[in-house]
Amino acid sequence: MTAGYALCMALFLLGLYGVVTKRHLLKIAFGVFLIAGAAALFIALLGVSEGHVGSLWQALGLMVILGGLAIATVMIVTSVRLHQRCGSFDLDRIWKLRG
Amino acid sequence: MGISPLLFIAIPLGAAALVALLSRARERAGDVVASLASAALLALSLALVRRILDGETLSYDLASSSPLGLHLSIDGLSLLLLSIISLLTLMADLYAVSYMERYTSKPRYYVLRLLMATGLNGAVMGADLLNLYAGMEVACLSCYALVAFGMERDYLGASFRYQVFGALASLLIIVGIALVYRTAATLNLVELRGVVAQQGMSPVLLFSSVLFLTGFGIKAAYMPFHTWLPDAHSVAPTPVSALLSGIFIKVAGLYALARLFLSVFELTATLSMVLMVMGSVSLLVALLMALAQWDSKRLLAYSTISQMGYILLGLSIGTPLGILGALFHLVNHAVFKSLLFFNAGAVEAATGTRDMKELGGLNQRMPLTGATCTVASLSISGIPPFNGFWSKLLIILAAVQAGYPAFAAVAGLGSILALAVFLKLERYVFFGSLPQRLARVREAPLLMCVPMALLAALCLGIGLAFPFFIHNFLDPAKEVLSRLTLVR
């Protein structure tokens, strides 16, 4: 159980590191997916810790997985479109917008 | 007369499907269907006002035994927000009929817009945290797509930034919800209030309230979580900007904060102070940043952050007067900020630029846009008799009454700065000399003028008839929130 929570924390920190430090669109998106994974794992662990996994826990788990899937799709599509427009995945090069 | 809360979800969802189906045969079907759906929702919510005033709460349970049961309820606060959502979407739909011509595939805009309304309505009617979250997610996902609607670099870049922030916020919130469920064994807002009142705030609940504060704080764009907003709100197509600033961030962020911290968790003195400081910082700093902008829609986006600061300040004072002022300002801001975005969009559509340095003297060429923009500017700066004056006054009075003269002074100073910001907008866009290049500019088309005129009339109307408005719409909403606020 403790190992599970440690894994959760590790995934979260790794994801946060990716989101904060990387400038490559897909790497940032991947960071978000890692955090979504950490959240799903955390909810699963919390549910299991209750003994029997009730229906609302299943709903919560389903919600975070579906939400993660949806945002993953949207982020990848946006990144690919940006790549088509600007020929680059690099945020700095794309972000010649106003700060 | 039976009005089921389910209608508020079924109508926009059905309309979205209908637009998607009809758009192949008839390109213009979306214009009619979307506006009709919004008008129907507005009529429904107005029809409910009397029943809510009588103290009734409408509720609806679908499949309460299955894991994904749908629990909806409409009380005073939900009804207030439902009415504003319907009103603003109706205005935005009318505006979009001519404005969205510049974008390809207009029907898709309507489909996404209707899905956004479905999500927002679902969120404000959600009787438990899971339904609230699900509605908010639906609305957010359609919003990401709406911000990226232009499909050019600016749109996609702003949307990507928004997606990163939005996704992180959603994950923080769902983890918070899981922690609440683990501790309290219920997600129903009313039951949760009972549990919290009985057991007090345990450390786990405190931790989850920090998660909620951050998550919903990002969605509501409070400083220091605001960085996604100026891009997203300024590049989005104008009807979308108006909806985003007018209602979206309020429902996705502020509404949930208000529900949770005022009527479920206890608003402790520390929490109240944290929220007040967050509100005041957003209020002042965002105005200073707005003052430095030359892009008209970006200026409005920063001003949105500061107006959200006012609302949070009023709510977190926690007294009935403060809550009333905050809710009043929420409505007023929805009205005048969407009007200002419509004005900026009309100017952009006519002149092809949002850069205020290239504009000027447009009062001569676009009298209606100029006049309505003046009304909205006076409103947002808190000049009597327009609606913004009364709500700001209430918030300042509440701060003084509760013994926070410093926060009252901040709110007053904010009003003066707002006046400076909007004088700048007026001066550089509508007054001064008309550049040669703009000599042949024409007034916006009729369908763009109608919503602007209606919203301007509403600014004045609410300002003049504020006792009527407070009694019918705001008091029931205030009751919901002040039922369990702190006793000082």
Side-chain angles (χ1 to χ4, degrees):
Chain A
M1 210 60 166
T2 325
Y5 287 115
L7 180 62
C8 245
M9 200 64 204
L11 277 177
F12 172 74
L13 289 177
L14 202 62
L16 198 64
Y17 171 78
V19 171
V20 174
T21 62
K22 297 295 172 193
R23 309 300 295 168
H24 188 288
L25 290 179
L26 290 177
K27 286 182 186 166
I28 295 174
F30 194 70
V32 174
F33 310 156
L34 283 181
I35 297 179
L41 183 61
F42 182 72
I43 287 171
L45 286 170
L46 272 186
V48 170
S49 74
E50 240 183 17
H52 104 112
V53 182
S55 56
L56 215 144
W57 282 112
Q58 297 174 21
L60 271 173
L62 205 61
M63 191 85 89
V64 71
I65 292 169
L66 281 179
L69 198 65
I71 191 72
T73 320
V74 176
M75 287 185 91
I76 290 176
V77 169
T78 314
S79 315
V80 170
R81 286 288 188 166
L82 265 171
H83 186 259
Q84 285 174 353
R85 289 281 181 281
C86 319
S88 166
F89 278 118
D90 188 352
L91 203 55
D92 288 327
R93 217 180 288 172
I94 295 164
W95 214 255
K96 301 251 166 63
L97 292 167
R98 302 126 303 199
Chain B
M1 186 174 57
I3 296 178
S4 163
L6 196 60
L7 281 176
F8 284 94
I9 291 181
I11 291 178
L13 195 60
L18 196 63
V19 173
L21 281 175
L22 287 180
S23 65
R24 293 203 183 281
R26 280 177 192 279
E27 186 76 6
R28 315 218 46 105
D31 296 340
V32 181
V33 175
S35 301
L36 280 181
S38 309
L41 290 175
L42 184 61
L44 274 181
S45 39
L46 291 180
L48 286 177
V49 169
R50 171 66 27 208
R51 289 171 66 179
I52 297 293
L53 265 183
D54 292 340
E56 205 178 325
T57 302
L58 282 83
S59 58
Y60 176 86
D61 283 329
L62 177 74
S64 44
S65 60
S66 93
L68 281 172
L70 196 57
H71 308 282
L72 305 174
S73 77
I74 300 184
D75 54 18
L77 183 60
S78 312
L79 183 66
L80 179 72
L81 285 157
L82 284 175
S83 329
I84 314 174
I85 295 170
S86 324
L87 175 74
L88 286 195
T89 48
L90 178 59
M91 295 297 139
D93 285 345
L94 290 178
Y95 190 87
V97 171
S98 9
Y99 184 86
M100 292 304 285
E101 288 295 336
R102 73 196 54 229
Y103 295 94
T104 50
S105 72
K106 205 162 133 192
R108 285 192 198 149
Y109 160 76
Y110 284 117
V111 172
L112 287 166
R113 212 289 289 142
L114 286 161
L115 285 178
M116 178 173 131
T118 312
L120 291 178
N121 285 350
V124 293
M125 291 188 302
D128 65 36
L129 280 174
L130 203 58
N131 280 319
L132 199 160
Y133 177 82
M136 198 184 71
E137 270 308 78
V138 171
C140 282
L141 281 168
S142 26
C143 228
Y144 302 143
L146 280 172
V147 170
F149 202 76
M151 276 306 190
E152 289 304 323
R153 186 180 64 179
D154 291 8
Y155 296 89
L156 291 165
S159 174
F160 188 82
R161 207 180 218 196
Y162 182 18
Q163 286 160 25
V164 174
F165 278 92
L168 292 182
S170 298
L171 291 170
L172 291 177
I173 293 165
I174 190 100
V175 168
I177 293 177
L179 284 172
V180 167
Y181 186 60
R182 183 74 179 82
T183 335
T186 176
L187 288 181
N188 184 295
L189 291 169
V190 179
E191 289 170 22
L192 205 56
R193 176 163 59 202
V195 173
V196 172
Q198 210 171 36
Q199 303 177 351
M201 292 290 281
S202 63
V204 180
L205 281 184
L206 273 180
F207 180 65
S208 60
S209 67
V210 172
L211 291 178
F212 288 139
L213 192 63
T214 321
F216 290 120
I218 294 176
K219 299 241 177 210
Y222 280 112
M223 291 202 165
F225 312 121
H226 68 282
T227 47
W228 60 268
L229 184 140
D231 289 317
H233 287 208
S234 59
V235 304
T238 297
V240 180
S241 308
L243 287 177
L244 275 173
S245 268
I247 193 69
F248 183 83
I249 54 170
K250 301 199 181 87
V251 171
L254 195 81
Y255 165 77
L257 278 181
R259 275 268 171 192
L260 280 171
F261 289 110
L262 290 173
S263 80
V264 176
F265 295 155
E266 290 161 44
L267 185 69
T268 56
T270 328
L271 184 63
S272 151
M273 189 51 89
V274 169
L275 291 174
M276 277 198 284
V277 170
M278 206 157 117
S280 316
V281 169
S282 300
L283 199 169
L284 283 183
V285 180
L287 274 176
L288 292 175
M289 290 163 103
L291 207 49
Q293 302 304 320
W294 286 101
D295 174 333
S296 55
K297 277 173 81 179
R298 216 174 158 76
L299 178 143
L300 294 177
Y302 275 109
S303 138
T304 294
I305 304 177
S306 106
Q307 299 296 315
M308 292 290 281
Y310 266 106
I311 304 174
L312 187 65
L313 181 60
L315 280 177
S316 52
I317 291 169
T319 57
L321 188 65
I323 295 172
L324 183 70
L327 291 174
F328 197 8
H329 201 64
L330 188 152
V331 177
N332 292 342
H333 179 248
V335 173
F336 52 61
K337 188 47 69 64
S338 47
L339 173 55
L340 283 164
F341 269 113
F342 287 163
N343 294 144
V347 169
E348 189 194 2
T351 63
T353 181
R354 299 200 302 258
D355 188 348
M356 293 173 5
K357 283 179 193 156
E358 293 177 18
L359 297 168
L362 283 176
N363 259 342
Q364 301 163 34
R365 305 296 310 170
M366 307 177 76
L368 187 112
T369 310
T372 50
C373 187
T374 309
V375 170
S377 303
L378 291 176
S379 257
I380 199 171
S381 322
I383 307 291
F386 295 104
N387 56 0
F389 169 72
W390 301 107
S391 49
K392 286 191 183 183
L393 186 68
L394 284 180
I395 292 174
I396 293 175
L397 282 180
V400 173
Q401 209 178 49
Y404 298 113
F407 288 109
V410 166
L413 182 64
S415 215
I416 298 170
L417 278 174
L419 188 61
V421 169
F422 286 93
L423 274 179
K424 174 177 173 179
L425 181 78
E426 288 280 317
R427 160 72 183 78
Y428 281 95
V429 179
F430 293 106
F431 291 91
S433 59
L434 188 72
Q436 195 59 44
R437 196 179 67 80
L438 302 178
R440 317 193 71 175
V441 163
R442 296 240 218 108
E443 178 60 279
L446 180 69
L447 273 176
M448 278 159 75
C449 288
V450 169
M452 289 196 276
L454 285 176
L455 286 172
L458 213 53
C459 278
L460 188 61
I462 294 179
L464 292 177
F466 72 97
F468 166 82
F469 187 74
I470 287 180
H471 173 70
N472 284 303
F473 287 92
L474 296 174
D475 273 342
K478 182 198 73 181
E479 288 306 315
V480 174
L481 286 181
S482 49
R483 229 176 274 155
L484 194 116
T485 42
L486 81 172
V487 189
R488 281 177 191 281

